[in-house]
Amino acid sequence: MAYNYDKDDSGFIDDLEKSKVAVDKAARFFANQGFPVVLQPTFARPSVSEKNNFSDDGDLKLMITCEVKHRPHLSFSVESGFPYKTVIVDACHIFDKHRVKPFYYIIWNRDYSSFLFLNVNESRKRWIKSEKFDKAKNRMRNFYEVDVGLCRIVDCV
């Protein structure tokens, strides 16, 4: 006889309680890596007939870091493209100091109508270190740059 979970699920509450152990272990693991973790509330349904009213939106949420930059002197869009072959991602010492590295960089154009979207995990091995004069700081600084082809341009208007 086949078991019908839509009609009878007598082991549901026990399974739900056991799953909390795995969720807690995952939450502790990621929290120890420096990620903010939000545990989602868990509610036990009173009966199998109410299962649709008690489904959840996942067990936990990991909050990831996005660095956001603005390049007030650069104009770019999907249509016009980016004016250079590489884009400065960040100053080396700023990126390097992060215990938990950003997952994404969002780099806005002059008028906030478009931005470059960079996935750090997918591109990091192809970053190059360069020394450039930083007009704002009036000195030479080390920056990470990446080929603009590894970024995606997103138009917002």
Side-chain angles (χ1 to χ4, degrees):
M1 182 171 123
Y3 189 79
N4 187 338
Y5 285 98
D6 290 331
K7 292 185 179 178
D8 179 36
D9 194 1
S10 59
F12 171 75
I13 297 297
D14 188 47
D15 291 343
L16 183 64
E17 287 305 311
K18 287 177 183 173
S19 75
K20 290 179 181 179
V21 173
V23 171
D24 289 342
K25 285 186 178 292
R28 277 195 305 277
F29 171 82
F30 285 108
N32 288 336
Q33 302 302 311
F35 292 96
V37 177
V38 176
L39 290 171
Q40 297 291 88
T42 303
F43 302 101
R45 64 180 184 240
S47 68
V48 71
S49 65
E50 296 180 68
K51 69 180 180 180
N52 292 336
N53 297 327
F54 284 83
S55 60
D56 62 28
D57 292 321
D59 297 314
L60 60 87
K61 292 188 180 200
L62 296 176
M63 296 170 58
I64 60 172
T65 302
C66 295
E67 280 291 335
V68 180
K69 306 293 183 186
H70 178 226
R71 300 295 153 72
H73 305 298
L74 289 178
S75 180
F76 58 88
S77 67
V78 170
E79 185 178 325
S80 67
F82 192 75
Y84 303 105
K85 290 181 181 181
T86 62
V87 60
I88 294 173
V89 178
D90 212 338
C92 293
H93 74 280
I94 293 173
F95 179 83
D96 292 343
K97 76 176 171 91
H98 290 290
R99 179 173 179 219
V100 176
K101 304 298 188 207
F103 272 65
Y104 304 107
Y105 272 82
I106 295 168
I107 304 170
W108 286 101
N109 68 355
R110 174 183 320 171
D111 61 0
Y112 297 101
S113 61
S114 301
F115 63 86
L116 291 174
F117 182 80
L118 178 66
N119 182 316
V120 173
N121 291 338
E122 290 177 2
S123 65
R124 179 65 184 103
K125 291 180 180 177
R126 298 190 45 201
W127 292 10
I128 56 171
K129 192 177 198 177
S130 62
E131 186 177 38
K132 296 186 177 298
F133 186 75
D134 184 343
K135 293 176 192 172
K137 303 289 184 186
N138 197 31
R139 64 181 166 162
M140 296 299 289
R141 293 175 73 193
N142 289 319
F143 293 95
Y144 288 120
E145 291 183 71
V146 68
D147 184 296
V148 75
L150 295 173
C151 301
R152 186 176 58 155
I153 299 176
V154 177
D155 290 342
C156 298
V157 289

